[in-house]
Amino acid sequence: MMRSSNRKPLIVGIGGTATPGSSTEQALALALGAATSAGADTRMFGGEFLSRLPHFLSPGTEGSPDGAELVDAVRLADGLIIASPGYHGSISGLVKNAIDYLEKTASDPRVYLDGVPVGLITTAYGWQATGSTLATLRSIVHSLRGWPTPLGAGIKTAAGMFEGGNCSDPAAAAQLELVGRQVVQFATMRISDPSTTETGVTPT
């Protein structure tokens, strides 16, 4: 689909947990809020939405309107922000399942996330889990030909840290804001000149 180069970037957020209002989802919302303030349009697929997705390649995959909605949004996106909790040292199954749906873009004119800037956020109760989960997300984005932005936010969460759409930890809040701004900056650059980041690899 051809889109005007004189437009706001669209940033799509994917993340959360099965628990409504989780720290991960609130962190993602804050980063998307920063992206909006930086001049982008945003769309969020939070934990409630991700919980409805059938397991990828299960019998319900092809007929899933939620799966189609997610893939269509990513196809239009100029940038992504992905947020996952750290479960047993890696990303959650809920977030991984959503990412697996991007296999449907394998034969698109823009293969997977080719050249798309992707901001990454991890939340966990310990630093080790935030680091290993962030590394896993970076590896996944690279395999999808995306461009992880320079800062990945690893947030060590504590009770009450995220409440009412706010983060009480100034350092963590600053990280989330910078993730949102960096995705918009790189997306804007890519809109002006897609060759800046794309790999030029054609679908097989």
Side-chain angles (χ1 to χ4, degrees):
M1 178 182 295
M2 296 296 294
R3 301 178 69 198
S4 170
S5 60
N6 184 23
R7 58 179 173 80
K8 290 183 176 182
L10 171 63
I11 309 302
V12 170
I14 300 172
T17 75
T19 302
S22 66
S23 296
T24 307
E25 188 166 311
Q26 291 191 64
L28 175 60
L30 286 169
L32 287 174
T36 300
S37 296
D41 291 325
T42 63
R43 185 170 181 187
M44 179 170 169
F45 293 91
E48 182 180 355
F49 181 93
L50 302 186
S51 296
R52 297 200 303 265
L53 290 175
H55 286 190
F56 185 63
L57 294 184
S58 70
T61 301
E62 291 302 321
S64 169
D66 292 321
E69 183 180 352
L70 173 65
V71 173
D72 287 345
V74 171
R75 283 177 168 141
L76 292 174
D78 300 295
L80 267 65
I81 301 176
I82 301 175
S84 175
Y87 286 171
H88 305 137
S90 188
I91 71 172
S92 70
L94 196 69
V95 172
K96 181 58 166 62
N97 186 54
I99 294 172
D100 286 345
Y101 272 79
L102 303 189
E103 180 61 27
K104 290 181 172 290
T105 67
S107 298
D108 284 4
R110 185 185 79 189
V111 183
Y112 297 129
L113 301 176
D114 189 15
V116 175
V118 184
L120 302 174
I121 300 167
T122 63
T123 61
Y125 288 118
W127 289 119
Q128 181 175 342
T130 63
S132 59
T133 303
L134 189 58
T136 299
L137 280 177
R138 285 188 183 277
S139 179
I140 290 171
V141 171
H142 279 300
S143 74
L144 293 172
R145 306 181 189 178
W147 284 70
T149 54
L151 177 71
I155 309 298
K156 182 181 177 182
T157 57
M161 185 174 177
F162 291 95
E163 287 187 353
N166 296 305
C167 177
S168 61
D169 185 311
Q175 285 189 59
L176 297 171
E177 180 179 356
L178 184 53
V179 167
R181 287 195 287 109
Q182 284 187 344
V183 173
V184 175
Q185 290 165 355
F186 280 94
T188 301
M189 179 178 68
R190 187 177 184 279
I191 290 171
S192 299
D193 183 7
S195 67
T196 303
T197 59
E198 65 187 7
T199 66
V201 177
T202 56
T204 57

